[in-house]
Amino acid sequence: MNLIFLGPPGAGKGTYADRLIEKYDIPHISTGDIFREAIANGTTLGKQVEDIVKSGNLVPDELTNALVEERLKEKDCENGFILDGYPRTLNQAQALDAMLKNMCKKLDAAIYFEIDEETVVDRISTRRTCSNCGKVYNIISFPSKIEGICDDCGGKLVQRDDDREEIVRKRYRIYIQNTAPLIEYYRNQNKLFTLDSRKGVEEVMKILFNILGGIEK
Ligand code: AMP
């Protein structure tokens, strides 16, 4: 199953992806996570993108495309993948099509998690992320068992630098501006499925499993 998840920050893409990977045995590839990890580890890539990511702007297409191409060649992508946060521009969508063609693969579906700016701001301001393993919590809707501590690894839960309200609003607008053409792009390929991400996690998951069940047949 080769999937892409479209939707602004805060739409829940990471949460839904994590639930799906258990069922389909495919990796969840988040370009945002890859960049954040590189920054945290101080790698060459991290140094290149640190200022861009922290300001909420987009990393240049060329760099992002090359990184995704390498990642998709890894063995764990044999059964498929969920790309989360990529593609984000029309140029990236076209590059992805070309990459997949070269690998004799095709995209099965583009799932668009639709959500408005105010809901995103409300959600993200209460989001906390494990500084060690990256697991995402919400202090209201999905709290950790012990406040401030990750259930899985015991790491410290923090608010991401780019989860501050003014940066969230900027990321949302940048996303909508750059992603609007992608919606049309995948609709024209008959691959687009739109979900109302304001609904609860369980309801969205149910609809998502139905969609994917239909694609598998
Ligand atoms: P995310 O966690 O998906 O919201 O991504 C966090 C940040 O990483 C974004 O605000 C961008 O700076 C960068 N980023 C993630 N994915 C991409 C992409 N596909 N193209 C360009 N920049 C990206």
Side-chain angles (χ1 to χ4, degrees), residues 35-76:
F35 290 136
R36 278 186 291 276
E37 199 183 318
I39 293 169
N41 292 334
T43 64
T44 311
L45 171 70
K47 287 185 185 120
Q48 253 175 308
V49 302
E50 182 161 11
D51 289 346
I52 304 174
V53 171
K54 290 198 168 155
S55 69
N57 288 314
L58 292 185
V59 173
D61 285 340
E62 224 169 278
L63 206 162
T64 312
N65 290 337
L67 188 125
V68 170
E69 184 161 21
E70 282 314 301
R71 181 65 187 85
L72 290 180
K73 285 182 190 156
E74 285 179 33
K75 198 162 166 41
D76 63 346

Side-chain angles (χ1 to χ4, degrees), residues 19-153:
R19 301 276 289 265
L20 282 190
I21 56 177
E22 293 163 19
K23 182 172 157 102
Y24 291 102
D25 189 26
I26 52 180
H28 166 206
I29 303 170
S30 153
T31 39
D33 284 350
I34 295 173
F35 290 136
R36 278 186 291 276
E37 199 183 318
I39 293 169
N41 292 334
T43 64
T44 311
L45 171 70
K47 287 185 185 120
Q48 253 175 308
V49 302
E50 182 161 11
D51 289 346
I52 304 174
V53 171
K54 290 198 168 155
S55 69
N57 288 314
L58 292 185
V59 173
D61 285 340
E62 224 169 278
L63 206 162
T64 312
N65 290 337
L67 188 125
V68 170
E69 184 161 21
E70 282 314 301
R71 181 65 187 85
L72 290 180
K73 285 182 190 156
E74 285 179 33
K75 198 162 166 41
D76 63 346
C77 295
E78 267 175 9
N79 288 337
F81 52 80
I82 301 174
L83 277 170
D84 160 6
Y86 179 93
R88 246 173 160 102
T89 63
L90 202 51
N91 174 298
Q92 291 181 8
Q94 287 160 344
L96 175 64
D97 277 349
M99 281 174 220
L100 292 177
K101 200 168 167 203
N102 276 340
M103 290 182 243
C104 299
K105 291 183 178 187
K106 69 171 184 52
L107 199 68
D108 291 303
I111 315 283
Y112 178 39
F113 296 88
E114 200 171 27
I115 195 159
D116 60 283
E117 183 173 333
E118 292 315 312
T119 310
V120 162
V121 169
D122 280 354
R123 266 191 199 176
I124 292 195
S125 60
T126 50
R127 177 157 88 174
R128 297 292 179 271
T129 307
C130 176
S131 53
N132 182 46
C133 73
K135 184 166 175 173
V136 177
Y137 295 84
N138 186 292
I139 51 177
I140 292 168
S141 60
F142 183 54
S144 56
K145 292 190 183 102
I146 302 169
E147 197 185 322
I149 306 288
C150 179
D151 293 346
D152 288 0
C153 74

